[in-house]
Amino acid sequence: MREHGWARGTTLLVAAVLVVVGAPLAGATPSGSGASSPRRLRAGKPGELISATPVIAPAGSRAWKVLYHSRALDGRDIEVSGVVVAPTSKPPSGGRPVVTWAHGTHGLADMCAPSQAIDSTYRITGIHQFLKAGYVVAATDYEGLGTPGQHPYLVGESEGRGVLDIVRAAEQLPGADASATTLIYGHSQGGQAALFAGQIAPTYAPDLHVLGVTAVAPVSDLSDLLPEASAAAPLVGYLVMAAVGLHTTYPIDLSAILTPQTLANLDVVDRLCSDDLVDYYAQFAPSQVVLQNPVDVPGVASVLLDDRAGNVSTPTPLLVIQGDQDALVPKAETDAFVQRACALGDRVDYRIYPGEDHVGARDASVNDVAAWMADRVAGRPAPSTC
């Protein structure tokens, strides 16, 4: 889940011409504390583009920071931010396939949103391979990260909706030449987002033609991860973020999970991005941060079961990648997800990278992912290790 410095990106300072598609870009908003928007959000359909602002992009491409409509799990119309990157070469007659790219953990504060960084497009793992292949890349910030409201960190369906709706937004963006042909990619938190996007796509976004889902070291079952995090100082910061994120959506009593000391200083999640937040909580003994294993709190186990990937089948092929030295999302968790998916009849290509940790597996697999995606675009049969 840790992105090794990604969360420390500088706030976007590039001045650019605003391309207004709907309403203008919102002004700066407070961090993810549930503060109200400085303007009223005009009603729109999920994926409807609100605005786009040109930002710096890799050579041979153009990019925009975008705002678009999505839906919270309670049905509210919300705005979500992200970036879209497109090649400048001549597009095919049917438009370009879109890689919707889901990022790993950055934090819960608005300043941690990946699109806030001045070099946000360069930080997308695989961006050069994807652009060379002629794909549009769309990278959501997720609900409440960089936009009004709280970020439902590790709430899989919320993340999945943002991942799908930015493809719809890219289709409306002049100059992107994006099509409905979709490839879903995610790492860590984004792996969870990718898996949920694949699961809900047939009902939530039937207009998209999803060819496949790639999930690298995905967070697939918090009931496995949270008990470990509750007892390990280097991981307890993730538990705090997860508890706060789940609390935005589910009736979870934080006072039953977090100590009074933690609750009294909980505004730290709105002031620090993930790397610094994890370091902050690591200075305390876990018992100073957490009252008990969250799974033991009444009602939490059922919430975590609802938020588990692999409860329903995914109709499109899956590529699942895992490093066997991953200390953040252990291989055993991903093994269990693959077993669930195979039992449901999913087509899963499970690849284990010996010697690689959480970030290493992501970086080592870039070319393999690009080749797997090219096969899906070409219509070749997807392999399965089930």
Side-chain angles (χ1 to χ4, degrees):
M1 291 183 278
R2 193 179 182 101
E3 288 296 305
H4 295 286
W6 269 51
R8 296 172 179 155
T10 308
T11 301
L12 181 63
L13 298 175
V14 177
V17 178
L18 177 64
V19 180
V20 179
V21 180
L25 267 175
T29 59
S31 60
S33 58
S36 60
S37 172
R39 62 175 175 81
R40 185 179 180 85
L41 178 64
R42 185 185 305 169
K45 297 178 181 178
E48 184 175 331
L49 189 63
I50 298 172
S51 63
T53 308
V55 295
I56 61 173
S61 70
R62 65 191 74 176
W64 304 261
K65 178 175 179 178
V66 298
L67 278 175
Y68 60 96
H69 290 270
S70 190
R71 288 290 183 272
L73 296 194
D74 63 6
R76 286 179 296 113
D77 184 358
I78 57 173
E79 59 182 293
V80 178
S81 56
V83 296
V84 175
V85 192
T88 54
S89 57
K90 184 178 179 180
S93 59
R96 303 183 189 278
V98 179
V99 175
T100 182
W101 190 93
H103 66 78
T105 298
H106 283 245
L108 280 70
D110 279 352
M111 66 180 181
C112 309
S115 71
Q116 299 275 13
I118 194 169
D119 57 349
S120 60
T121 60
Y122 290 86
R123 299 180 178 206
I124 297 174
T125 304
I127 185 71
H128 299 294
Q129 287 89 340
F130 300 148
L131 292 174
K132 183 178 180 180
Y135 308 148
V136 172
V137 180
T140 182
D141 288 331
Y142 309 133
E143 175 183 351
L145 192 54
T147 48
Q150 294 178 312
H151 172 43
Y153 176 63
L154 296 182
V155 177
E157 185 166 348
S158 165
E159 298 162 349
R161 291 183 179 190
V163 166
L164 294 170
D165 283 332
I166 198 171
V167 180
R168 292 162 155 167
E171 288 184 85
Q172 303 160 48
L173 187 56
D177 299 300
S179 73
T181 300
T182 304
L183 296 154
I184 301 171
Y185 173 96
H187 170 244
S188 193
Q189 177 191 7
Q192 179 194 43
L195 294 176
F196 270 87
Q199 289 178 183
I200 69 174
T203 53
Y204 183 76
D207 51 302
L208 300 182
H209 179 44
V210 179
L211 298 180
V213 176
T214 299
V216 183
V219 176
S220 57
D221 189 351
L222 287 173
S223 65
D224 286 339
L225 289 181
L226 294 188
E228 180 183 356
S230 68
L235 300 177
V236 74
Y238 292 111
L239 185 149
V240 175
M241 287 189 285
V244 173
L246 292 168
H247 179 67
T248 67
T249 303
Y250 299 104
I252 290 177
D253 181 6
L254 291 181
S255 66
I257 300 173
L258 305 176
T259 64
Q261 171 185 318
T262 304
L263 292 173
N265 297 286
L266 202 55
D267 64 338
V268 70
V269 303
D270 287 329
R271 293 188 283 104
L272 298 177
C273 296
S274 58
D275 287 355
D276 290 331
L277 192 65
V278 168
D279 291 343
Y280 169 80
Y281 282 112
Q283 68 183 309
F284 303 108
S287 60
Q288 293 179 279
V289 180
V290 182
L291 281 176
Q292 61 180 315
N293 178 352
V295 178
D296 295 333
V297 175
V300 171
S302 62
V303 165
L304 299 184
L305 180 60
D306 287 343
D307 197 46
R308 186 179 74 170
N311 288 340
V312 297
S313 63
T314 301
T316 54
L318 295 168
L319 172 62
V320 179
I321 288 170
Q322 179 68 39
D324 66 1
Q325 299 301 307
D326 194 330
L328 288 178
V329 178
K331 176 178 173 292
E333 181 186 345
T334 305
D335 289 348
F337 164 75
V338 170
Q339 290 172 3
R340 292 196 300 275
C342 288
L344 288 167
D346 292 353
R347 193 164 190 82
V348 185
D349 185 356
Y350 186 26
R351 304 187 189 182
I352 299 167
Y353 285 69
E356 299 293 352
D357 62 10
H358 193 64
V359 174
R362 180 196 67 188
D363 296 343
S365 62
V366 169
N367 290 330
D368 292 341
V369 169
W372 188 86
M373 288 182 173
D375 285 344
R376 304 291 75 73
V377 172
R380 299 185 184 97
S384 179
T385 53
C386 289

